[in-house]
């Protein structure tokens, strides 16, 4: 146990002499649940629709309320944790997450479920930055902390993939509310063991939370992400573009406020440091690739290969099997070869995974595509685990929660951009490569419409399905190439801009391995 952790637990703690790795396990379980809640409703929608009868717009908000509120509050809640203590806010968030999960499970209207999902987003925002900031407090040794953050990152990535599996299995035997009830025992366990395993007194009461900044960042992030996702899902419209523009204007107002505020939520001086700034860029682009690829492959497994949702979810979990090993090994590789090189190598590995997907998707195989997805997932988790440790460990004293919140916010933006950009590329190529002469009832719109059209026109079903699947794999190939170019460009940029960095200039205090 580190001396800092032992002093904050106190000699009377029954676990005062235990390893901080036990505390890490206590942190990872709720993070698994929080990340699962992003995707746990994938299979539950038909059951919720049959029971609560939500409108199409309400159905969209049942999905998005959690992610929007989570993204908008991460920076603010991280700052609150820096003031009142990371463990205190983590435990409050765990209690709130359990209570709102119960509310969601027994919601009797669409409006009630949307409200419960929004409250879950508030609670989830307390868990992510607090847990990452606590890892910094628990591990004094740089290599141990890097491995711990790697494990934390792998758990977060795995939770999104596991969510649909758990949802599908529960829905085989229970009602839709059961997908929320699984949160309760985990949060209850954290409330019991957290005070014994996690350090206290990590807050600084001198910190203040600027209310206007908090409102601006929430409105800016929610508006921008909503606009981006709507454009990707429904195409261009003035209203959707307006959401993005409003979000960007509010974002600019937020940045201006940070220059003037006595207690800014984000220390803009940190962005002068290339290591810090590049770490955020790498994290954003990594989530761009991870979420964008998930959108492509999920549709590929279900609509091209024809797998059932549960079978598709089981196969999509395959790449996660190696992720758990890749992230902790990243720290050891960084010590030997240098953090900058391994981050760029991880991005290059992920870019190669996109190339494998692009080269094989048109032949409609399973294993080559899964191999490409595994390369992509492992490479991106290696990169994100290292930059997470790099950014949060090097944060200014007393700002680790806010910095962790900023890091997680870039993850949310990256995921939204992955959906929007790669999804738009896929849709455009699909539309332009589907034969005009074989377009009954709007089959050129998208693959889902084409499959529905085929079901209503048995005489042309085989031709429509084949044309649609070919057009989709064409789009998937081009989207994968675009993803590969983006990841490879950032890999090269990271290597060039940070070559020779042994320590970040500016506010960071991370000592990188010698190059």
């Amino acid at each position: 146990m580190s001396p800092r952790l032992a002093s904050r637990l106190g000699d009377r703690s029954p676990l005062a002499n235990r390893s901080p790795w036990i505390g890490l396990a206590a942190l990872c379980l709720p993070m698994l649940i929080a990340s699962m809640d992003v995707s746990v409703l994938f299979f539950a929608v038909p059951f919720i629709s049959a029971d609560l009868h939500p409108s199409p717009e309400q159905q969209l908000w049942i999905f998005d309320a959690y992610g929007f509120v989570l993204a908008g509050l991460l920076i603010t809640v991280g700052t609150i944790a820096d003031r009142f203590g990371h463990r205190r806010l983590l435990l409050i968030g765990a209690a709130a997450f359990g209570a709102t999960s119960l509310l969601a499970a027994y919601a009797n209207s669409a409006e009630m479920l949307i409200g419960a999902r929004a409250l879950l987003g508030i609670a989830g925002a307390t868990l992510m930055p607090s847990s990452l900031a606590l890892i910094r407090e628990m591990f004094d040794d740089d290599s141990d902390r890097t491995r711990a953050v790697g494990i934390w990152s792998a758990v977060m990535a795995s939770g999104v993939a596991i969510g649909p599996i758990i949802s599908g299995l529960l829905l085989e035997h229970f009602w839709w509310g059961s997908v929320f009830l699984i949160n309760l025992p985990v949060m209850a366990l954290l409330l019991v063991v957290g005070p014994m395993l996690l350090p206290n007194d990590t807050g600084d009461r001198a910190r203040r939370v600027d209310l206007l900044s908090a409102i601006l960042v929430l409105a800016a992030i929610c508006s921008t992400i909503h606009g981006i996702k709507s454009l990707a899902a429904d195409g261009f419209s003035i209203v959707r573009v307006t959401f993005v523009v409003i979000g960007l204007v509010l974002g600019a107002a937020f940045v201006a406020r940070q220059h003037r505020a006595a207690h800014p939520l984000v220390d803009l001086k940190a962005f002068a440091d290339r290591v810090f700034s590049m770490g955020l860029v790498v994290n954003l682009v990594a989530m761009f690739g991870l979420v964008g690829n998930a959108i492509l492959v999920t549709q590929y497994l279900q609509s091209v290969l024809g797998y059932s949702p549960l079978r598709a979810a089981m196969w999509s979990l395959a790449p996660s099997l190696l992720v758990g090993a890749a992230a902790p090994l990243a720290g050891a590789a960084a010590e030997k070869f240098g953090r900058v090189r391994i981050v760029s190598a991880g991005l290059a590995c992920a870019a190669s995974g996109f190339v494998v997907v692009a080269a094989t998707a048109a032949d409609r195989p399973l294993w080559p595509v899964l191999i490409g997805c595994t390369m992509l997932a492992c490479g991106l988790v290696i990169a994100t685990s290292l930059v997470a440790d790099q950014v949060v460990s090097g944060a200014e004293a007393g700002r680790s929660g806010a910095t962790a919140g900023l890091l997680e916010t870039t993850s949310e933006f990256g995921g939204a951009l992955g959906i929007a950009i790669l999804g738009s590329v896929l849709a455009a190529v699909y539309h332009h490569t589907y034969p005009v002469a074989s377009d009954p009832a709007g089959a050129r719109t998208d693959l889902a419409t084409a499959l529905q059209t085929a079901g209503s026109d048995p005489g042309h079903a085989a031709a429509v399905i084949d044309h649609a699947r070919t057009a989709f794999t064409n789009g998937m190939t081009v989207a994968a190439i675009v993803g590969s170019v983006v990841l490879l460009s950032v890999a090269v940029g990271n290597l060039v801009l940070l070559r020779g960095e042994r320590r970040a200039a500016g506010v960071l205090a991370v000592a990188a391995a010698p190059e």
Side-chain angles (χ1 to χ4, degrees), residues 117-414:
R117 289 280 287 169
L119 291 174
L120 275 172
I122 297 173
T126 69
L127 300 176
M128 292 183 180
S130 296
S131 63
L132 195 50
L134 283 168
I135 290 175
R136 172 184 170 171
E137 297 291 335
M138 292 162 59
F139 292 89
D140 291 329
D141 182 79
D142 289 345
S143 59
D144 283 349
R145 187 182 58 248
T146 300
R147 285 193 290 272
V149 173
I151 293 170
W152 182 91
S153 298
V155 168
M156 289 285 290
S158 299
V160 179
I162 292 172
I165 308 293
I166 299 298
S167 173
L169 293 174
L170 286 172
L171 292 169
E172 290 283 332
H173 305 285
F174 306 103
W175 97 113
W176 60 264
S178 62
V179 302
F180 296 107
L181 293 183
I182 59 171
N183 301 341
L184 271 64
V186 173
M187 296 304 164
L189 179 62
L190 178 61
L191 290 172
V192 172
V193 303
M196 295 185 288
L197 294 172
L198 304 176
N200 199 8
D201 300 326
T202 60
D204 179 3
R205 290 304 180 94
R207 294 279 175 191
R208 294 291 183 269
V209 179
D210 185 65
L211 182 59
L212 180 56
S213 293
I215 294 171
L216 285 172
V217 73
L218 174 63
I221 290 173
C222 289
S223 180
T224 304
I225 292 181
H226 175 64
I228 290 172
K229 292 183 71 172
S230 297
L231 286 168
D234 304 312
F236 176 86
S237 79
I238 297 298
V239 173
R240 296 174 196 125
V241 172
T242 300
F243 271 108
V244 177
V245 172
I246 291 173
L248 294 176
V249 170
L250 291 173
F254 170 76
V255 172
R257 175 69 181 174
Q258 302 318 288
H259 283 291
R260 300 191 305 270
H263 298 277
L265 294 185
V266 176
D267 182 7
L268 298 181
K269 295 190 299 293
F271 288 90
D273 190 303
R274 289 182 298 173
V275 175
F276 180 86
S277 298
M278 200 64 205
L280 296 180
V281 171
V282 167
N283 194 64
L284 184 146
V285 170
M287 293 307 298
F288 161 90
L290 196 64
V291 175
N293 180 69
I295 295 298
L296 301 179
V297 174
T298 299
Q299 295 180 73
Y300 180 80
L301 292 173
Q302 292 187 69
S303 299
V304 175
L305 300 186
Y307 291 171
S308 67
L310 183 56
R311 186 183 178 192
M314 293 294 288
W315 279 115
S316 67
L317 187 61
S320 301
L321 299 178
L322 294 179
V323 166
L329 290 176
E335 289 179 8
K336 184 174 182 179
F337 299 105
R339 189 183 297 259
V340 172
R341 290 175 180 167
I342 298 304
V343 168
S344 290
L347 292 174
C349 176
S352 300
F354 262 135
V355 170
V356 172
V357 171
T360 59
D363 296 327
R364 304 179 193 175
L366 174 61
W367 285 106
V369 169
L370 291 181
I371 289 171
C373 292
T374 301
M375 294 170 62
L376 185 138
C378 288
L380 293 182
V381 170
I382 286 171
T384 55
S385 64
L386 289 176
V387 298
D389 175 51
Q390 172 180 294
V391 169
V392 177
S393 298
E396 179 189 348
R399 298 192 66 94
S400 56
T403 304
L406 179 61
L407 184 73
E408 289 302 312
T409 300
T410 63
S411 296
E412 298 297 327
F413 264 113

